[in-house]
Amino acid sequence: MNVLFAASEGHPFIKTGGLGDVIGALPKELQKQGINVSVILPKYEDMNETFKEQLELKEAITVPVGWRHQYCGIETLRYNDITYYFIDNEYYFKRSGSYGYFDDGERFSFFCRAVLEAIPYLDEQPDILHCHDWQTGMIPVLKKAHYRNNPYYDGMKVVYTIHNLRYQGIFPKGILHDLLDLSELHFTNEGVEFHGNVSFMKGGLLYSDYITTVSPSYADEIKQPYFGEYLDGILRKREDDFTGIINGIDSELYDPAADSALKYTYHSSFLLKEKNKIELQEKLGLQKGEGIPVLCMITRLVEQKGMDLFFRVLPEIMEENVQVVVLGTGDEHYEHMLREAENRYPGRFSANIYFDEAFARKLYASSDLFLMPSQFEPCGISQLIALRYGSLPIVRETGGLKDTVIPYNKYTGEGHGFSFADYNAHDMLNAIRLALHYYHHESLTWRKLVERGMRLNYSWEKSAEKYSSLYESLVK
Ligand code: GLC
């Protein structure tokens, strides 16, 4: 079975978020299970030099973009036994960063077409073309429109995975003719028309053979209007070809017993976790002390992540015996509020408005509580890393958070975290207070929960099995 992943980012070449983690980890696990996976990505300027130097040009072709023909280099390298292909076009991708440009519509129209044009030149003919998020949403549309009578593409099935339904790739109608060579016939409610514009996400949902998303709960949620981002109707219609498969984490990459970012690596020793904490407190200028719990957030500073709830009750959180550390960047007004909080609570609040992978790992390892009160969360990866590093998650019961964090139930003894259901700041505060209660007053229970969390298995194995049986069923 040959599977080709098409995506706009992938660790370790380029990563801006959770999508990059998935594209970095899932192929490895599928490969272990006997599926031959290769990955095709844009060649961005920001890709690490050592990788760039290893690239070999496989083929140079031209790709139709409306009435023009654009250069497309197909470059390749092997990494961890996986073949990666990179679509090279300097005009489109030799820029810093990956998305957020005024011409993203054109850049990813090109990318979608280039993937399809490149396929005959790759080492293997894919049985499954697995596309991820809006940047690849036009691939199934273009495949049906332009390659329908081409036998090379005949048996190839398209799986489309939604990592976040909110980001849809919506562009003016003109791109249909100017960039995608698609006629007016596609501009309907049953096609890619979306409130007067063109939606890449909608294309992916309508034209793929099968849709997945990254947790069972999110799959249920987005069939409802509240979470559905105006696409819930389509998802309800395609219900029979749509499922949620939970993400895992790369358990080799995220291992507190072997993490080079940590001064004190540990299996389950509380002593070593405490030592990491003291080091962190020193580094951040927090008051030093062993019995003080550290609550952290490692997040993009955007509404989705529940920042409003956090700021709404921050004064009440700070009345508790706790220190708070936040790491991440995002919307300016949240960054501003974080700086202000740092001034208001000297020695107890630390705002780190940047992102640094090594520091993030230190923080997972040194903190006791990990707060993630998302408004919605397709899967979420950080709560899993937090568990693995012994930082107990406090989450809102939505999407993947609901599927991965079982709240502690003092009657049945089940669970390994804390949660709340409604998007309400005081419900969140109560969950934080409950967690702090166990930390300060029931240390045996606390330790039991931390140890349980660290032992959980959130590897990719089971999920990869689900993807492989899905591929099998489609190819049959
Ligand atoms: C997106 C989602 C996140 C998910 C990730 C990987 O970033 O917001 O919840 O974990 O994709 O699928």
Side-chain angles (χ1 to χ4, degrees):
M1 166 89 67
N2 291 316
V3 178
L4 177 66
F5 271 41
S8 54
E9 57 178 272
H11 179 85
F13 307 105
I14 180 102
K15 176 182 136 179
T16 69
L19 171 63
D21 287 304
V22 174
I23 304 303
L26 177 57
K28 260 201 264 180
E29 186 60 42
L30 286 167
Q31 199 100 324
K32 270 193 214 155
Q33 301 183 9
I35 298 209
N36 182 27
V37 187
S38 38
V39 181
I40 189 161
L41 301 164
K43 181 186 173 190
Y44 298 107
E45 174 63 6
D46 285 356
M47 186 170 144
N48 191 315
E49 279 306 321
T50 48
F51 291 128
K52 273 195 207 156
E53 282 160 16
Q54 293 169 38
L55 286 172
E56 277 169 30
L57 180 65
K58 193 165 182 59
E59 197 70 51
I61 59 175
T62 55
V63 168
V65 179
W67 53 270
R68 293 162 297 167
H69 274 79
Q70 302 288 29
Y71 170 85
C72 169
I74 306 167
E75 303 190 359
T76 180
L77 65 77
R78 289 278 291 177
Y79 176 78
N80 277 345
D81 276 340
I82 291 171
T83 303
Y84 289 86
Y85 300 101
F86 294 89
I87 295 293
D88 175 39
N89 176 299
E90 298 197 344
Y91 170 68
Y92 290 128
F93 298 124
K94 196 178 164 97
R95 313 178 187 185
S96 75
S98 42
Y99 339 109
Y101 285 97
F102 75 97
D103 57 347
D104 278 358
E106 176 165 349
R107 297 168 76 219
F108 289 98
S109 294
F110 165 77
F111 181 67
C112 288
R113 191 72 191 260
V115 168
L116 289 162
E117 288 289 313
I119 283 177
Y121 300 95
L122 309 185
D123 292 345
E124 319 272 359
Q125 180 179 25
D127 302 299
I128 300 277
L129 184 51
H130 191 158
C131 303
H132 298 265
D133 265 356
W134 75 260
Q135 292 87 347
T136 59
M138 280 296 160
I139 291 179
V141 184
L142 294 172
K143 178 174 173 282
K144 286 217 170 111
H146 299 317
Y147 302 85
R148 198 180 20 201
N149 299 321
N150 183 333
Y152 195 78
Y153 297 80
D154 260 0
M156 216 177 283
K157 299 287 182 194
V158 181
V159 175
Y160 180 72
T161 296
I162 309 164
H163 293 262
N164 191 334
L165 192 64
R166 179 158 292 179
Y167 301 99
Q168 301 187 350
I170 293 174
F171 303 103
K173 179 183 175 188
I175 75 163
L176 270 191
H177 321 86
D178 296 348
L179 306 172
L180 296 162
D181 282 320
L182 295 173
S183 76
E184 192 78 17
L185 292 175
H186 288 87
F187 198 69
T188 63
N189 193 30
E190 287 67 44
V192 296
E193 187 274 337
F194 188 70
H195 301 275
N197 291 305
V198 169
S199 162
F200 275 48
M201 178 65 85
K202 190 178 173 199
L205 299 183
L206 281 177
Y207 288 78
S208 54
D209 296 293
Y210 201 92
I211 308 166
T212 74
T213 189
V214 289
S215 71
S217 288
Y218 191 60
D220 288 342
E221 287 171 350
I222 57 182
K223 278 182 256 170
Q224 309 304 323
Y226 182 80
F227 290 97
E229 310 283 351
Y230 304 103
L231 291 169
D232 46 291
I234 297 180
L235 290 165
R236 282 196 300 274
K237 250 193 228 152
R238 293 219 57 194
E239 188 158 52
D240 294 339
D241 307 311
F242 173 39
T243 193
I245 301 177
I246 195 86
N247 288 337
I249 52 173
D250 185 327
S251 33
E252 280 165 37
L253 199 64
Y254 297 110
D255 180 3
D259 189 330
S260 59
L262 307 186
K263 185 149 179 202
Y264 307 98
T265 53
Y266 55 96
H267 284 282
S268 68
S269 163
F270 280 80
L271 195 68
L272 293 177
K273 209 172 147 57
E274 284 293 308
K275 279 194 175 173
N276 281 311
K277 184 180 349 185
I278 304 274
E279 210 215 343
L280 178 87
Q281 288 167 325
E282 255 167 31
K283 176 177 149 74
L284 298 180
L286 297 170
Q287 288 157 21
K288 271 191 281 176
E290 291 196 359
I292 311 173
V294 169
L295 176 143
C296 79
M297 287 181 92
I298 301 176
T299 179
R300 275 183 299 127
L301 304 171
V302 295
E303 198 193 345
Q304 180 203 335
K305 299 294 177 180
M307 296 315 296
D308 293 329
L309 298 194
F310 174 71
F311 286 113
R312 174 68 183 79
V313 292
L314 184 59
E316 280 130 301
I317 298 174
M318 297 312 290
E319 277 167 24
E320 304 288 325
N321 179 7
V322 65
Q323 295 178 345
V324 177
V325 182
V326 182
L327 170 66
T329 60
D331 294 350
E332 207 174 315
H333 66 285
Y334 293 131
E335 295 187 350
H336 203 71
M337 284 157 93
L338 285 176
R339 290 198 190 93
E340 196 188 66
E342 190 172 66
N343 289 332
R344 202 173 334 134
Y345 307 107
R348 299 189 53 222
F349 190 102
S350 167
N352 304 274
I353 304 173
Y354 59 91
F355 191 78
D356 176 65
E357 184 78 30
F359 181 58
R361 287 143 185 270
K362 277 200 171 84
L363 202 47
Y364 286 116
S366 320
S367 58
D368 303 287
L369 284 164
F370 184 82
L371 180 62
M372 195 160 171
S374 307
Q375 226 171 28
F376 67 93
E377 195 62 68
C379 179
I381 288 174
S382 17
Q383 81 277 15
L384 304 178
I385 305 174
L387 281 164
R388 188 104 209 277
Y389 282 65
S391 185
L392 290 185
I394 303 173
V395 303
R396 170 146 183 266
E397 290 157 22
T398 181
L401 296 175
K402 185 171 166 185
D403 294 340
T404 57
V405 177
I406 312 298
Y408 175 60
N409 180 326
K410 68 176 173 186
Y411 301 107
T412 64
E414 281 170 326
H416 50 257
F418 304 91
S419 66
F420 59 100
D422 290 340
Y423 193 68
N424 174 297
H426 283 86
D427 288 358
M428 178 189 80
L429 181 65
N430 286 337
I432 296 175
R433 284 189 174 141
L434 181 65
L436 291 173
H437 164 83
Y438 285 107
Y439 182 92
H440 288 299
H441 305 294
E442 299 197 31
S443 56
L444 281 182
T445 306
W446 181 264
R447 285 179 177 227
K448 187 173 74 188
L449 298 187
V450 172
E451 274 162 11
R452 190 179 282 167
M454 290 184 72
R455 277 198 312 267
L456 290 170
N457 177 4
Y458 284 123
S459 74
W460 272 102
E461 199 181 328
K462 271 194 236 141
S463 313
E465 279 166 13
K466 294 196 176 134
Y467 280 108
S468 25
S469 33
L470 169 63
Y471 299 151
E472 301 283 350
S473 70
L474 287 171
V475 166
K476 233 193 286 170

